[in-house]
Amino acid sequence: RILAGIGIGFGVMIAPVYIAEISPTVARGSLTSFPEIFINIGILLGYVSNYAFFGLPAHINWRIMLVVGIVPSVLIAFALFVIPESPRWLVVQNRVEEARSVLLKTNENDAEVEERLAEIQLAAGNTDAQNYEDKPVWRELLSPSPALRRMLLTGFGIQCYQQVTGIDATVYYSPEIFKAAGMQGESKLLAATVAVGVTKTVFILVATFLIDKVGRKPLLYASTIGMTACLFTVAISLSLLGHGSLGIALAILSICGNVAFFSVGMGPVCWVLTSEIFPIRFRAQASALGAVGNRV
């Protein structure tokens, strides 16, 4: 678990920043939400595999449930030999032509490639136009200007609030919630949990299509209002309706609604905002701080 946690820590920090650095501007919002999409697909596959292996003998089923997690890790390891390095990192290493080549592979507009390359060079401080060598990035982050302070508060704060909503408790403990509502039978509980995973994944895909059309803030408003209503309904169903069929149905509907509203707004938008609001010069380190806030 410790080793897996280290891997997840690197992943949640690096993936959104990397995608933001290689993506064309017009599709950056949708593409930066991809890590959240595939996290949800991974959770769904975990639910499905648990359901599939549940019927095996007790001394072997949980071992198989854990071992199948190796498969995506191996696929990612092979993929890392294929994907290019970040253009920003290449520019920092004075490998400008390689950075241009990477941008040309991921952008169809040559003019945008040159514009972004110039922007990256300026931010990296390796042009004559501006030199940042006298003040390292971390020093500026520790004593930020008023504008940078607002960015840091937004990036760190929204990542904290994403988790404070209790989404992980909802995802991990949905079988316990359904059991408290009166649902009986391990297979039924696992099936209901798969339904939660399917809902979460479907609505993260919906968010991918909406995020650049509707905007970031409207999705956040809709997400937080919807989650509040669903969690309130869960509380009512568990407190007042007892263990009847109505209470069970309302609990399942509310939990599915909660993960749906999270996936439409609070889930993907936080990562997109964190990768967008900072200037290129601060993006990697500031996004890392956002990821720290999320995990803490």
Side-chain angles (χ1 to χ4, degrees), residues 154-221:
T154 301
F156 189 87
I158 199 169
Q159 289 282 14
C160 288
Y161 277 112
Q162 186 202 64
Q163 291 302 310
V164 171
T165 59
I167 187 61
D168 277 357
T170 303
V171 170
Y172 294 147
Y173 294 102
S174 53
E176 297 296 322
I177 297 171
F178 298 146
K179 189 183 294 184
M183 182 177 284
Q184 301 294 324
E186 292 294 330
S187 61
K188 288 182 180 179
L189 289 169
L190 281 172
T193 306
V194 171
V196 173
V198 170
T199 303
K200 201 168 187 290
T201 304
V202 167
F203 278 89
I204 195 72
L205 293 172
V206 171
T208 305
F209 293 105
L210 293 178
I211 198 165
D212 283 325
K213 295 180 180 178
V214 177
R216 281 59 164 159
K217 286 180 70 176
L219 289 179
L220 285 176
Y221 288 137

Side-chain angles (χ1 to χ4, degrees), residues 52-249:
F53 298 127
F54 173 73
L56 296 175
H59 69 282
I60 194 172
N61 59 5
W62 64 271
R63 290 181 168 90
I64 297 177
M65 290 176 186
L66 291 176
V67 166
V68 293
I70 294 173
V71 176
S73 301
V74 171
L75 294 175
I76 291 170
F78 280 111
L80 290 174
F81 287 105
V82 178
I83 65 172
E85 184 53 82
S86 157
R88 183 184 182 279
W89 187 84
L90 290 170
V91 168
V92 169
Q93 303 301 314
N94 289 317
R95 294 157 62 179
V96 177
E97 287 305 315
E98 290 182 58
R100 180 182 283 110
S101 176
V102 172
L103 288 171
L104 285 169
K105 290 177 182 177
T106 56
N107 292 264
E108 296 179 353
N109 189 326
D110 290 352
E112 182 183 338
V113 168
E114 295 303 323
E115 181 181 338
R116 289 191 60 194
L117 187 62
E119 183 185 21
I120 293 169
Q121 286 182 281
L122 183 65
N126 65 349
T127 68
D128 295 332
Q130 193 165 355
N131 191 350
Y132 292 101
E133 293 295 329
D134 57 339
K135 196 171 185 183
V137 168
W138 280 113
R139 191 179 301 172
E140 291 190 55
L141 290 175
L142 291 172
S143 57
S145 65
L148 182 58
R149 189 180 300 117
R150 286 193 292 272
M151 295 177 201
L152 289 170
L153 284 172
T154 301
F156 189 87
I158 199 169
Q159 289 282 14
C160 288
Y161 277 112
Q162 186 202 64
Q163 291 302 310
V164 171
T165 59
I167 187 61
D168 277 357
T170 303
V171 170
Y172 294 147
Y173 294 102
S174 53
E176 297 296 322
I177 297 171
F178 298 146
K179 189 183 294 184
M183 182 177 284
Q184 301 294 324
E186 292 294 330
S187 61
K188 288 182 180 179
L189 289 169
L190 281 172
T193 306
V194 171
V196 173
V198 170
T199 303
K200 201 168 187 290
T201 304
V202 167
F203 278 89
I204 195 72
L205 293 172
V206 171
T208 305
F209 293 105
L210 293 178
I211 198 165
D212 283 325
K213 295 180 180 178
V214 177
R216 281 59 164 159
K217 286 180 70 176
L219 289 179
L220 285 176
Y221 288 137
S223 180
T224 50
I225 292 170
M227 290 180 73
T228 302
C230 289
L231 290 174
F232 183 76
T233 306
V234 171
I236 293 295
S237 67
L238 294 179
S239 301
L240 303 179
L241 297 181
H243 286 187
S245 57
L246 178 60
I248 294 172

Side-chain angles (χ1 to χ4, degrees), residues 20-69:
E21 289 181 353
I22 65 169
S23 301
T25 305
V26 68
R28 187 178 296 158
S30 296
L31 293 174
T32 308
S33 67
F34 269 33
E36 186 71 17
I37 292 173
F38 286 99
I39 286 171
N40 281 282
I41 291 174
I43 291 171
L44 176 58
L45 290 175
Y47 286 154
V48 171
S49 69
N50 289 354
Y51 184 73
F53 298 127
F54 173 73
L56 296 175
H59 69 282
I60 194 172
N61 59 5
W62 64 271
R63 290 181 168 90
I64 297 177
M65 290 176 186
L66 291 176
V67 166
V68 293

